[in-house]
Amino acid sequence: DVKVTQSSRYLVKRTGEKVFLECVQDMDHENMFWYRQDPGLGLRLIYFSYDVKMKEKGDIPEGYSVSREKKERFSLILESASTNQTSMYLCASSSPTSGRLDEQFFGPGTRLTVL
Amino acid sequence: GENVEQHPSTLSVQEGDSAVIKCTYSDSASNYFPWYKQELGKGPQLIIDIRSNVGEKKDQRIAVTLNKTAKHFSLHITETQPEDSAVYFCAATLNNAGNMLTFGGGTRLMVKP
């Protein structure tokens, strides 16, 4: 089974701190995604990556950056955390070359609180 | 870009009843429509999907219908059970858009025993 793991389930940070959220997948998937989940707004795409060192902006990239130095790892970076970035963050992966090419596999999420 | 609206935001049914969740999309070029289920403390998981070349798809107690003309699609769950309680998300995408999904706002389904 595909497994997507996220470094923390809960995280509390202060305004202005630099925050790193890590995501690792074990199925050699090419695509990786970062979403934030807010009540009533569903999942909104922040950034995604098709390959190592490649990244594309999603719908809400402002205030975030990403890094993909290895195929299995995709990091989300909040350069200077703000209270409006308090949210649930979900990582996902998919593979256009697998038999389940359209399915995205999600990690359990990181609930980030910025004080 | 694509915009997906989902209704209702919350739905409460008695065990054994049916539940219907509806979504509309804006981009007529979208051709792939998955549904994800998110249980408490977990990430969303794909439960069923439909492509624009079919109008209906069933998998045991769940079914999805698609009306391309009206640009809406629906999830139907029959004989609901307490374990169906979860948040459900619809999504839409243009297949060649790099697997980018646009999600609806989610529906919290509660099945009362």
Side-chain angles (χ1 to χ4, degrees), chain B residues 75-86:
Chain B
L75 177 71
H76 303 254
I77 306 174
T78 58
E79 300 173 21
T80 54
Q81 300 167 3
E83 52 265 38
D84 294 329
S85 296

Side-chain angles (χ1 to χ4, degrees), chain A residues 13-16 36 80-87 89 112-115:
Chain A
K13 295 292 181 180
R14 296 279 180 193
T15 300
R36 65 177 281 175
S80 177
S82 63
T83 54
N84 62 11
Q85 293 179 309
T86 292
S87 186
Y89 289 89
L112 172 67
T113 301
V114 182
L115 302 175

